[in-house]
Amino acid sequence: MNSHRRIWIKAPLVSLESDSAGGVVVENQLITEVLAKGEQPSMPVDEVFDAREHVMLPGLINSHHHFYQTLTRAYPQALNKSLFSWLKSLYPVWAKLGEEMIEVSTQVALAELLLSGCTTASDHHYLFPAGLENAIDIQMTQAEKLGVRVHLTRGSMSLGEEDGGLPPQSTVQSEEAILADSERLIQRYHDPKAGAMSRLALAPCSPFSVSEALMTASAALAQQYGVRLHTHLAETHDETDFCIQMFGLRPLDYLEKVGWLNDRVWLAHGIHFNDEEIRRLGAAGTGISHCPSSNMLLASGLCPTLDLERAGSPVGLGVDGSASNDGSNMIQEVRQAFLLGRLRYAAADITHQKVLSWATEGSARCLGRDDLGRLKVGMQADIALYKLDELRFAGAGDPLAALVLCGAHQADRVMVAGRWRVIDGAIDGFDLEALIQRQKTLAQRLAV
């Protein structure tokens, strides 16, 4: 798109933000005007997209994922298991990952996310067996090709079975190798500027797969370079028991000990916190990526989302790895968060607007972005447009509520940084059928 081309996304059926009922004007990758109902742009535009049949949202933001796990969906040996036994059955499979598998699984995850209306994706890649040292570099290349905004995290595992950890030795690296590569990746890919298409965070995998020394050193390195920190925490009771046995501390106390209880950190899951821990998290401004499908599939529990939010923690939404969700669909994850939230909180408190806010501005806050997640002047032009023309929506009243309640699963149009990436429900210039076949072939090879 020409950088000075002005596009008016005109008069949507409904917008998540009522002050943009007349649409938005996009120029130079930014939203430059927000129009009330009946208003016209202040200057001539080069293109008008008539959105009268579309529900308009800020682009959805996925705050936790494992792209490579799209290769092990519904994996037979991992079915009907809780987290630790599930991981034990999959670690040996993932240890066989190769570079082509990272390339293709990244494309699959990003394509699936993009088609669901997701414009920014965070991934947590923590497997670097021999020959896979450039996994993050491969992911960055694929994200650029697809035109998706990414916050990739340099994950790590340093505590193998021989040292009391969960992962097999072939999947762990030395602390020196992890920290050196983390520094390399920050210097090469992290863009701190507003509108950045690529950012990097440091993400030691979990208390049961990394050493205390690596957690502390990662926090120091992140502070040195001004990048964020991410890890799994308080996902299961097994994890709590592990932390007490290994460190003599509950997970959050351990997190604080290693210098991670602050507002540059966001955590995946955050299910098993007590009231006092929720207060501490909120006071620190530590973010939580809520992963409802994964938590349900692995029978992990219910995240206390509203309690965390009320305490002061940003709450975002994540699809988590496809092997513990078996999908990378952000708009479906919004519905899942809505339904699961109703099991814990009052109907009046878990609304469709609330869960959509987690998938947009909540996730943006988790990632440390103040330029994403809203349809406001000066924000990045990341926009998702959905049609309600499928059978599932027939007879629906409130169109915004219908998006969540009736189960939207695909966007019709998606714009990232002012550029159309999904047009008429298809990714522009992308051969999806060829990708599906490559993914099937590689998944079969991995399963042998």
Side-chain angles (χ1 to χ4, degrees):
M1 186 187 86
N2 184 299
S3 60
H4 292 291
R5 189 171 174 80
R6 285 169 55 82
I7 301 173
W8 178 16
I9 300 174
K10 180 182 177 181
L13 176 65
V14 68
S15 171
L16 179 61
E17 300 183 38
S18 57
D19 59 357
S20 54
V24 296
V25 177
V26 171
E27 183 181 2
N28 224 13
Q29 301 184 17
L30 297 176
I31 296 172
T32 55
E33 285 188 75
V34 171
L35 305 171
K37 189 172 183 178
E39 274 191 335
Q40 298 281 320
S42 61
M43 293 163 52
V45 297
D46 302 295
E47 179 186 331
V48 176
F49 178 75
D50 185 345
R52 75 178 80 175
E53 296 181 355
H54 293 79
V55 176
M56 182 169 72
L57 304 179
L60 305 180
I61 300 170
N62 179 34
S63 57
H64 183 67
H65 205 338
H66 307 289
F67 294 166
Y68 75 88
Q69 291 181 10
T70 58
L71 287 160
T72 50
R73 304 187 209 244
Y75 195 75
Q77 285 74 36
L79 296 175
N80 308 321
K81 293 182 176 179
S82 56
L83 179 67
F84 276 26
S85 55
W86 175 86
L87 283 169
K88 285 268 193 188
S89 65
L90 281 165
Y91 277 143
V93 181
W94 295 336
K96 298 184 290 181
L97 286 166
E99 289 192 342
E100 187 186 5
M101 291 173 179
I102 296 300
E103 175 193 325
V104 174
S105 60
T106 298
Q107 284 186 24
V108 166
L110 287 174
E112 198 175 353
L113 286 166
L114 193 54
L115 288 167
S116 74
C118 177
T119 52
T120 300
S122 179
D123 188 57
H124 187 182
H125 186 86
Y126 51 81
L127 276 158
F128 297 86
L132 205 61
E133 290 80 6
N134 293 322
I136 305 289
D137 304 81
I138 294 167
Q139 290 187 311
M140 284 290 187
T141 300
Q142 300 315 311
E144 190 175 353
K145 282 181 185 174
L146 275 158
V148 182
R149 209 181 288 279
V150 287
H151 280 236
L152 300 187
T153 72
R154 204 300 181 182
S156 52
M157 296 198 295
S158 65
L159 196 69
E161 287 173 319
E162 292 175 9
D163 301 307
L166 214 62
Q169 290 303 123
S170 66
T171 63
V172 302
Q173 291 180 295
S174 71
E175 290 167 17
E176 294 75 22
I178 290 164
L179 293 167
D181 193 50
S182 296
E183 194 163 15
R184 175 187 75 84
L185 289 166
I186 292 168
Q187 291 173 344
R188 181 161 184 188
Y189 295 111
H190 182 70
D191 180 1
K193 297 187 296 295
M197 292 298 290
S198 68
R199 285 195 182 167
L200 200 95
L202 302 184
C205 185
S206 60
F208 47 82
S209 58
V210 296
S211 65
E212 189 173 331
L214 182 63
M215 290 290 283
T216 306
S218 296
L221 189 63
Q223 187 162 17
Q224 179 187 338
Y225 282 99
V227 301
R228 295 179 82 76
L229 291 163
H230 183 54
T231 193
H232 299 94
L233 202 79
E235 184 176 0
T236 66
H237 290 302
D238 285 346
E239 180 196 311
T240 304
D241 295 341
F242 179 93
C243 285
I244 290 168
Q245 187 178 339
M246 191 82 175
F247 310 114
L249 297 166
R250 283 178 57 81
L252 190 70
D253 296 323
Y254 173 67
L255 198 75
E256 186 167 31
K257 182 185 179 186
V258 294
W260 277 57
L261 191 57
N262 59 63
D263 62 3
R264 288 186 299 105
V265 173
W266 87 104
L267 307 169
H269 304 294
I271 298 168
H272 300 291
F273 294 124
N274 61 36
D275 291 347
E276 184 259 345
E277 289 168 339
I278 289 170
R279 281 194 295 276
R280 286 162 60 197
L281 284 159
T286 303
I288 305 292
S289 176
H290 175 38
C291 304
S293 294
S294 172
N295 296 347
M296 295 163 79
L297 194 145
L298 293 172
S300 300
L302 277 73
C303 175
T305 49
L306 292 185
D307 301 73
L308 286 157
E309 199 172 49
R310 288 163 182 161
S313 287
V315 172
L317 210 58
V319 299
D320 199 12
S322 294
S324 66
N325 174 341
D326 296 319
S328 309
N329 189 306
M330 268 301 286
I331 194 64
Q332 287 187 338
E333 203 65 36
V334 171
R335 185 172 193 265
Q336 204 77 299
F338 175 83
L339 295 173
L340 187 60
R342 287 278 175 97
L343 291 181
R344 184 174 190 125
Y345 298 107
D349 293 330
I350 295 288
T351 64
H352 58 278
Q353 295 98 329
K354 170 57 71 179
V355 290
L356 285 165
S357 79
W358 292 340
T360 51
E361 56 185 318
S363 283
R365 287 183 64 204
C366 283
L367 300 182
R369 298 295 292 250
D370 59 6
D371 55 344
L372 305 177
R374 299 293 304 276
L375 298 170
K376 299 292 183 192
V377 171
M379 303 294 274
Q380 287 290 304
D382 291 7
I383 298 165
L385 297 160
Y386 300 83
K387 274 188 170 180
L388 304 181
D389 56 356
E390 294 175 77
L391 185 61
R392 68 184 71 211
F393 301 113
D398 182 318
L400 188 62
L403 204 63
V404 178
L405 274 66
C406 302
H409 64 107
Q410 187 161 346
D412 181 61
R413 283 255 178 170
V414 180
M415 176 181 278
V416 186
R419 180 179 166 216
W420 290 118
R421 293 305 302 127
V422 174
I423 297 171
D424 298 331
I427 299 171
D428 191 35
F430 193 73
D431 188 343
L432 209 57
E433 282 305 313
L435 177 63
I436 290 169
Q437 291 312 312
R438 282 186 80 191
Q439 174 84 340
K440 284 181 177 178
T441 301
L442 291 168
Q444 286 166 0
R445 189 185 304 168
L446 193 62
V448 172

